[in-house]
Amino acid sequence: LQFTEEKLGQAEKTELDAHFENLLARADCTKNWTEKILRQTEVLLQPNPSARVEEFLYEKLDRKVPSRVTNGELLAQYMAEAANDFGPGTPYGETLIKVGEAQRLLGAAERDFIHTASITFLTPLRNFLEGDWRTIAKERRILQNRRLDLDACKARLRKAKAAEAKATVTP
């Protein structure tokens, strides 16, 4: 009732401290930017949406995500197979072997980068959103309910005082 009356402008609302309001605004801003950065980093590390969903499901089920061959490693594998078909002694085959090995190293570096970024960058962001932010939101709801209770009590007190004053004026 108090919340509805405040929204309709019929009840007085106790304002929170300006410093605290600033803190709440900064917390909201931090949460929003953390979510955006987390999502975009996930897109960068895994551009395939269906693979992201699969990884998300494995993560929620507390299962190990199966290791996926990177595009660089797949290209290296194709180059090695082509080199064997052309013959490793031919100039083209020899070149394919060298370039394929470089692609294999690049693919392995990419896999290491994705793994490291996930552990050292994405995990702290997720921990904030799933831990700290949930605590902040819970405490904020509790504070809002307490403030509404306080305002409702103030309104009842004002009505009681007004009724008492009216009773003393009209004997």
Side-chain angles (χ1 to χ4, degrees), residues 64-91:
K64 187 176 184 295
V65 179
S67 183
R68 204 176 255 111
V69 177
T70 65
N71 290 331
E73 291 171 320
L74 189 59
L75 179 59
Q77 184 180 351
Y78 289 163
M79 287 180 167
E81 290 171 10
N84 288 334
D85 278 353
F86 287 113
T90 64

PDB file of all heavy atoms in Angstrom, residues 64-91:
ATOM      1  N   LYS A  64      32.876 -30.844 -17.378  1.00  0.00           N
ATOM      2  CA  LYS A  64      34.019 -30.298 -18.105  1.00  0.00           C
ATOM      3  C   LYS A  64      33.624 -30.098 -19.568  1.00  0.00           C
ATOM      4  O   LYS A  64      33.062 -30.994 -20.195  1.00  0.00           O
ATOM      5  CB  LYS A  64      35.207 -31.261 -18.018  1.00  0.00           C
ATOM      6  CG  LYS A  64      36.479 -30.683 -18.599  1.00  0.00           C
ATOM      7  CD  LYS A  64      37.632 -31.651 -18.395  1.00  0.00           C
ATOM      8  CE  LYS A  64      38.922 -31.062 -18.869  1.00  0.00           C
ATOM      9  NZ  LYS A  64      38.989 -30.816 -20.274  1.00  0.00           N
ATOM     10  N   VAL A  65      33.911 -28.910 -20.092  1.00  0.00           N
ATOM     11  CA  VAL A  65      33.612 -28.611 -21.488  1.00  0.00           C
ATOM     12  C   VAL A  65      34.580 -29.414 -22.351  1.00  0.00           C
ATOM     13  O   VAL A  65      35.795 -29.353 -22.135  1.00  0.00           O
ATOM     14  CB  VAL A  65      33.756 -27.095 -21.778  1.00  0.00           C
ATOM     15  CG1 VAL A  65      33.466 -26.787 -23.233  1.00  0.00           C
ATOM     16  CG2 VAL A  65      32.851 -26.293 -20.863  1.00  0.00           C
ATOM     17  N   PRO A  66      34.052 -30.177 -23.316  1.00  0.00           N
ATOM     18  CA  PRO A  66      34.974 -30.944 -24.164  1.00  0.00           C
ATOM     19  C   PRO A  66      35.886 -30.016 -24.956  1.00  0.00           C
ATOM     20  O   PRO A  66      35.474 -28.939 -25.388  1.00  0.00           O
ATOM     21  CB  PRO A  66      34.051 -31.736 -25.093  1.00  0.00           C
ATOM     22  CG  PRO A  66      32.724 -31.080 -25.009  1.00  0.00           C
ATOM     23  CD  PRO A  66      32.670 -30.340 -23.709  1.00  0.00           C
ATOM     24  N   SER A  67      37.112 -30.456 -25.124  1.00  0.00           N
ATOM     25  CA  SER A  67      38.094 -29.639 -25.838  1.00  0.00           C
ATOM     26  C   SER A  67      37.713 -29.572 -27.313  1.00  0.00           C
ATOM     27  O   SER A  67      37.417 -30.584 -27.942  1.00  0.00           O
ATOM     28  CB  SER A  67      39.481 -30.261 -25.677  1.00  0.00           C
ATOM     29  OG  SER A  67      40.436 -29.451 -26.308  1.00  0.00           O
ATOM     30  N   ARG A  68      37.710 -28.361 -27.824  1.00  0.00           N
ATOM     31  CA  ARG A  68      37.306 -28.132 -29.205  1.00  0.00           C
ATOM     32  C   ARG A  68      38.541 -27.746 -30.015  1.00  0.00           C
ATOM     33  O   ARG A  68      39.360 -26.967 -29.566  1.00  0.00           O
ATOM     34  CB  ARG A  68      36.285 -26.997 -29.227  1.00  0.00           C
ATOM     35  CG  ARG A  68      35.396 -27.021 -30.410  1.00  0.00           C
ATOM     36  CD  ARG A  68      34.335 -25.921 -30.337  1.00  0.00           C
ATOM     37  NE  ARG A  68      33.044 -26.509 -30.003  1.00  0.00           N
ATOM     38  CZ  ARG A  68      32.405 -26.351 -28.866  1.00  0.00           C
ATOM     39  NH1 ARG A  68      32.907 -25.597 -27.935  1.00  0.00           N
ATOM     40  NH2 ARG A  68      31.251 -26.913 -28.646  1.00  0.00           N
ATOM     41  N   VAL A  69      38.637 -28.299 -31.222  1.00  0.00           N
ATOM     42  CA  VAL A  69      39.750 -27.964 -32.109  1.00  0.00           C
ATOM     43  C   VAL A  69      39.519 -26.551 -32.634  1.00  0.00           C
ATOM     44  O   VAL A  69      38.432 -26.223 -33.103  1.00  0.00           O
ATOM     45  CB  VAL A  69      39.832 -28.970 -33.290  1.00  0.00           C
ATOM     46  CG1 VAL A  69      40.925 -28.589 -34.257  1.00  0.00           C
ATOM     47  CG2 VAL A  69      40.049 -30.375 -32.774  1.00  0.00           C
ATOM     48  N   THR A  70      40.547 -25.708 -32.547  1.00  0.00           N
ATOM     49  CA  THR A  70      40.409 -24.343 -33.060  1.00  0.00           C
ATOM     50  C   THR A  70      40.505 -24.364 -34.579  1.00  0.00           C
ATOM     51  O   THR A  70      40.964 -25.339 -35.183  1.00  0.00           O
ATOM     52  CB  THR A  70      41.513 -23.422 -32.497  1.00  0.00           C
ATOM     53  OG1 THR A  70      42.769 -23.870 -32.969  1.00  0.00           O
ATOM     54  CG2 THR A  70      41.484 -23.382 -30.979  1.00  0.00           C
ATOM     55  N   ASN A  71      40.072 -23.279 -35.192  1.00  0.00           N
ATOM     56  CA  ASN A  71      40.114 -23.180 -36.657  1.00  0.00           C
ATOM     57  C   ASN A  71      41.547 -23.272 -37.173  1.00  0.00           C
ATOM     58  O   ASN A  71      41.804 -23.875 -38.215  1.00  0.00           O
ATOM     59  CB  ASN A  71      39.452 -21.893 -37.131  1.00  0.00           C
ATOM     60  CG  ASN A  71      37.954 -21.913 -36.919  1.00  0.00           C
ATOM     61  OD1 ASN A  71      37.340 -22.976 -36.935  1.00  0.00           O
ATOM     62  ND2 ASN A  71      37.370 -20.747 -36.690  1.00  0.00           N
ATOM     63  N   GLY A  72      42.484 -22.681 -36.451  1.00  0.00           N
ATOM     64  CA  GLY A  72      43.897 -22.745 -36.840  1.00  0.00           C
ATOM     65  C   GLY A  72      44.423 -24.168 -36.810  1.00  0.00           C
ATOM     66  O   GLY A  72      45.156 -24.600 -37.708  1.00  0.00           O
ATOM     67  N   GLU A  73      44.053 -24.904 -35.772  1.00  0.00           N
ATOM     68  CA  GLU A  73      44.484 -26.304 -35.667  1.00  0.00           C
ATOM     69  C   GLU A  73      43.851 -27.159 -36.761  1.00  0.00           C
ATOM     70  O   GLU A  73      44.496 -28.058 -37.320  1.00  0.00           O
ATOM     71  CB  GLU A  73      44.132 -26.865 -34.287  1.00  0.00           C
ATOM     72  CG  GLU A  73      44.955 -26.256 -33.169  1.00  0.00           C
ATOM     73  CD  GLU A  73      44.463 -26.648 -31.791  1.00  0.00           C
ATOM     74  OE1 GLU A  73      43.237 -26.701 -31.577  1.00  0.00           O
ATOM     75  OE2 GLU A  73      45.332 -26.902 -30.929  1.00  0.00           O
ATOM     76  N   LEU A  74      42.590 -26.881 -37.087  1.00  0.00           N
ATOM     77  CA  LEU A  74      41.915 -27.620 -38.153  1.00  0.00           C
ATOM     78  C   LEU A  74      42.584 -27.339 -39.499  1.00  0.00           C
ATOM     79  O   LEU A  74      42.822 -28.258 -40.293  1.00  0.00           O
ATOM     80  CB  LEU A  74      40.436 -27.238 -38.190  1.00  0.00           C
ATOM     81  CG  LEU A  74      39.522 -28.058 -39.089  1.00  0.00           C
ATOM     82  CD1 LEU A  74      39.555 -29.524 -38.681  1.00  0.00           C
ATOM     83  CD2 LEU A  74      38.115 -27.514 -39.030  1.00  0.00           C
ATOM     84  N   LEU A  75      42.915 -26.070 -39.752  1.00  0.00           N
ATOM     85  CA  LEU A  75      43.619 -25.716 -40.987  1.00  0.00           C
ATOM     86  C   LEU A  75      44.980 -26.408 -41.036  1.00  0.00           C
ATOM     87  O   LEU A  75      45.390 -26.915 -42.091  1.00  0.00           O
ATOM     88  CB  LEU A  75      43.783 -24.190 -41.081  1.00  0.00           C
ATOM     89  CG  LEU A  75      44.522 -23.654 -42.297  1.00  0.00           C
ATOM     90  CD1 LEU A  75      43.824 -24.077 -43.592  1.00  0.00           C
ATOM     91  CD2 LEU A  75      44.639 -22.148 -42.219  1.00  0.00           C
ATOM     92  N   ALA A  76      45.670 -26.458 -39.918  1.00  0.00           N
ATOM     93  CA  ALA A  76      46.978 -27.133 -39.858  1.00  0.00           C
ATOM     94  C   ALA A  76      46.829 -28.613 -40.192  1.00  0.00           C
ATOM     95  O   ALA A  76      47.651 -29.183 -40.928  1.00  0.00           O
ATOM     96  CB  ALA A  76      47.588 -26.968 -38.466  1.00  0.00           C
ATOM     97  N   GLN A  77      45.776 -29.222 -39.679  1.00  0.00           N
ATOM     98  CA  GLN A  77      45.527 -30.636 -39.966  1.00  0.00           C
ATOM     99  C   GLN A  77      45.277 -30.840 -41.462  1.00  0.00           C
ATOM    100  O   GLN A  77      45.819 -31.770 -42.067  1.00  0.00           O
ATOM    101  CB  GLN A  77      44.320 -31.106 -39.151  1.00  0.00           C
ATOM    102  CG  GLN A  77      44.006 -32.571 -39.282  1.00  0.00           C
ATOM    103  CD  GLN A  77      42.785 -32.944 -38.447  1.00  0.00           C
ATOM    104  OE1 GLN A  77      42.276 -32.155 -37.657  1.00  0.00           O
ATOM    105  NE2 GLN A  77      42.314 -34.159 -38.647  1.00  0.00           N
ATOM    106  N   TYR A  78      44.479 -29.984 -42.067  1.00  0.00           N
ATOM    107  CA  TYR A  78      44.211 -30.082 -43.517  1.00  0.00           C
ATOM    108  C   TYR A  78      45.497 -29.897 -44.322  1.00  0.00           C
ATOM    109  O   TYR A  78      45.730 -30.588 -45.306  1.00  0.00           O
ATOM    110  CB  TYR A  78      43.181 -29.052 -43.959  1.00  0.00           C
ATOM    111  CG  TYR A  78      41.771 -29.327 -43.480  1.00  0.00           C
ATOM    112  CD1 TYR A  78      40.818 -28.314 -43.506  1.00  0.00           C
ATOM    113  CD2 TYR A  78      41.383 -30.569 -42.999  1.00  0.00           C
ATOM    114  CE1 TYR A  78      39.526 -28.542 -43.077  1.00  0.00           C
ATOM    115  CE2 TYR A  78      40.091 -30.803 -42.562  1.00  0.00           C
ATOM    116  CZ  TYR A  78      39.168 -29.779 -42.612  1.00  0.00           C
ATOM    117  OH  TYR A  78      37.881 -30.006 -42.183  1.00  0.00           O
ATOM    118  N   MET A  79      46.314 -28.936 -43.899  1.00  0.00           N
ATOM    119  CA  MET A  79      47.569 -28.684 -44.615  1.00  0.00           C
ATOM    120  C   MET A  79      48.507 -29.883 -44.516  1.00  0.00           C
ATOM    121  O   MET A  79      49.170 -30.244 -45.492  1.00  0.00           O
ATOM    122  CB  MET A  79      48.249 -27.424 -44.090  1.00  0.00           C
ATOM    123  CG  MET A  79      47.557 -26.155 -44.500  1.00  0.00           C
ATOM    124  SD  MET A  79      48.407 -24.713 -43.839  1.00  0.00           S
ATOM    125  CE  MET A  79      47.631 -23.429 -44.775  1.00  0.00           C
ATOM    126  N   ALA A  80      48.561 -30.522 -43.348  1.00  0.00           N
ATOM    127  CA  ALA A  80      49.415 -31.700 -43.174  1.00  0.00           C
ATOM    128  C   ALA A  80      48.917 -32.850 -44.054  1.00  0.00           C
ATOM    129  O   ALA A  80      49.726 -33.546 -44.691  1.00  0.00           O
ATOM    130  CB  ALA A  80      49.444 -32.117 -41.713  1.00  0.00           C
ATOM    131  N   GLU A  81      47.600 -33.023 -44.108  1.00  0.00           N
ATOM    132  CA  GLU A  81      47.038 -34.081 -44.964  1.00  0.00           C
ATOM    133  C   GLU A  81      47.308 -33.794 -46.439  1.00  0.00           C
ATOM    134  O   GLU A  81      47.649 -34.701 -47.205  1.00  0.00           O
ATOM    135  CB  GLU A  81      45.540 -34.226 -44.699  1.00  0.00           C
ATOM    136  CG  GLU A  81      45.218 -34.824 -43.346  1.00  0.00           C
ATOM    137  CD  GLU A  81      43.731 -34.776 -43.003  1.00  0.00           C
ATOM    138  OE1 GLU A  81      42.911 -34.446 -43.898  1.00  0.00           O
ATOM    139  OE2 GLU A  81      43.396 -35.069 -41.848  1.00  0.00           O
ATOM    140  N   ALA A  82      47.175 -32.529 -46.829  1.00  0.00           N
ATOM    141  CA  ALA A  82      47.439 -32.153 -48.222  1.00  0.00           C
ATOM    142  C   ALA A  82      48.915 -32.353 -48.542  1.00  0.00           C
ATOM    143  O   ALA A  82      49.256 -32.813 -49.646  1.00  0.00           O
ATOM    144  CB  ALA A  82      47.033 -30.698 -48.456  1.00  0.00           C
ATOM    145  N   ALA A  83      49.795 -32.019 -47.617  1.00  0.00           N
ATOM    146  CA  ALA A  83      51.238 -32.186 -47.833  1.00  0.00           C
ATOM    147  C   ALA A  83      51.567 -33.661 -48.047  1.00  0.00           C
ATOM    148  O   ALA A  83      52.403 -33.989 -48.901  1.00  0.00           O
ATOM    149  CB  ALA A  83      52.028 -31.625 -46.656  1.00  0.00           C
ATOM    150  N   ASN A  84      50.927 -34.544 -47.292  1.00  0.00           N
ATOM    151  CA  ASN A  84      51.144 -35.978 -47.473  1.00  0.00           C
ATOM    152  C   ASN A  84      50.650 -36.442 -48.840  1.00  0.00           C
ATOM    153  O   ASN A  84      51.270 -37.298 -49.463  1.00  0.00           O
ATOM    154  CB  ASN A  84      50.464 -36.784 -46.362  1.00  0.00           C
ATOM    155  CG  ASN A  84      51.187 -36.645 -45.040  1.00  0.00           C
ATOM    156  OD1 ASN A  84      52.385 -36.373 -45.013  1.00  0.00           O
ATOM    157  ND2 ASN A  84      50.460 -36.818 -43.953  1.00  0.00           N
ATOM    158  N   ASP A  85      49.521 -35.875 -49.302  1.00  0.00           N
ATOM    159  CA  ASP A  85      49.009 -36.234 -50.626  1.00  0.00           C
ATOM    160  C   ASP A  85      49.944 -35.746 -51.738  1.00  0.00           C
ATOM    161  O   ASP A  85      50.170 -36.460 -52.712  1.00  0.00           O
ATOM    162  CB  ASP A  85      47.606 -35.647 -50.848  1.00  0.00           C
ATOM    163  CG  ASP A  85      46.517 -36.496 -50.219  1.00  0.00           C
ATOM    164  OD1 ASP A  85      46.839 -37.600 -49.724  1.00  0.00           O
ATOM    165  OD2 ASP A  85      45.346 -36.050 -50.214  1.00  0.00           O
ATOM    166  N   PHE A  86      50.445 -34.518 -51.601  1.00  0.00           N
ATOM    167  CA  PHE A  86      51.343 -33.970 -52.632  1.00  0.00           C
ATOM    168  C   PHE A  86      52.749 -34.556 -52.519  1.00  0.00           C
ATOM    169  O   PHE A  86      53.518 -34.495 -53.463  1.00  0.00           O
ATOM    170  CB  PHE A  86      51.422 -32.443 -52.543  1.00  0.00           C
ATOM    171  CG  PHE A  86      50.179 -31.759 -53.030  1.00  0.00           C
ATOM    172  CD1 PHE A  86      49.358 -31.054 -52.157  1.00  0.00           C
ATOM    173  CD2 PHE A  86      49.816 -31.812 -54.366  1.00  0.00           C
ATOM    174  CE1 PHE A  86      48.212 -30.428 -52.594  1.00  0.00           C
ATOM    175  CE2 PHE A  86      48.667 -31.189 -54.814  1.00  0.00           C
ATOM    176  CZ  PHE A  86      47.855 -30.492 -53.930  1.00  0.00           C
ATOM    177  N   GLY A  87      53.067 -35.036 -51.349  1.00  0.00           N
ATOM    178  CA  GLY A  87      54.401 -35.567 -51.110  1.00  0.00           C
ATOM    179  C   GLY A  87      55.231 -34.551 -50.353  1.00  0.00           C
ATOM    180  O   GLY A  87      55.377 -33.413 -50.804  1.00  0.00           O
ATOM    181  N   PRO A  88      55.773 -34.954 -49.185  1.00  0.00           N
ATOM    182  CA  PRO A  88      56.533 -34.020 -48.371  1.00  0.00           C
ATOM    183  C   PRO A  88      57.832 -33.551 -49.035  1.00  0.00           C
ATOM    184  O   PRO A  88      58.384 -32.517 -48.662  1.00  0.00           O
ATOM    185  CB  PRO A  88      56.846 -34.794 -47.092  1.00  0.00           C
ATOM    186  CG  PRO A  88      56.222 -36.141 -47.225  1.00  0.00           C
ATOM    187  CD  PRO A  88      55.592 -36.253 -48.559  1.00  0.00           C
ATOM    188  N   GLY A  89      58.272 -34.260 -50.062  1.00  0.00           N
ATOM    189  CA  GLY A  89      59.508 -33.864 -50.739  1.00  0.00           C
ATOM    190  C   GLY A  89      59.290 -32.808 -51.809  1.00  0.00           C
ATOM    191  O   GLY A  89      60.239 -32.174 -52.265  1.00  0.00           O
ATOM    192  N   THR A  90      58.038 -32.570 -52.210  1.00  0.00           N
ATOM    193  CA  THR A  90      57.765 -31.569 -53.249  1.00  0.00           C
ATOM    194  C   THR A  90      57.795 -30.175 -52.613  1.00  0.00           C
ATOM    195  O   THR A  90      57.558 -30.017 -51.411  1.00  0.00           O
ATOM    196  CB  THR A  90      56.384 -31.801 -53.891  1.00  0.00           C
ATOM    197  OG1 THR A  90      55.368 -31.611 -52.900  1.00  0.00           O
ATOM    198  CG2 THR A  90      56.280 -33.201 -54.492  1.00  0.00           C
ATOM    199  N   PRO A  91      58.080 -29.151 -53.429  1.00  0.00           N
ATOM    200  CA  PRO A  91      58.102 -27.786 -52.878  1.00  0.00           C
ATOM    201  C   PRO A  91      56.760 -27.392 -52.245  1.00  0.00           C
ATOM    202  O   PRO A  91      56.732 -26.780 -51.177  1.00  0.00           O
ATOM    203  CB  PRO A  91      58.429 -26.907 -54.080  1.00  0.00           C
ATOM    204  CG  PRO A  91      59.058 -27.808 -55.075  1.00  0.00           C
ATOM    205  CD  PRO A  91      58.515 -29.179 -54.826  1.00  0.00           C
TER     206      PRO A  91
END
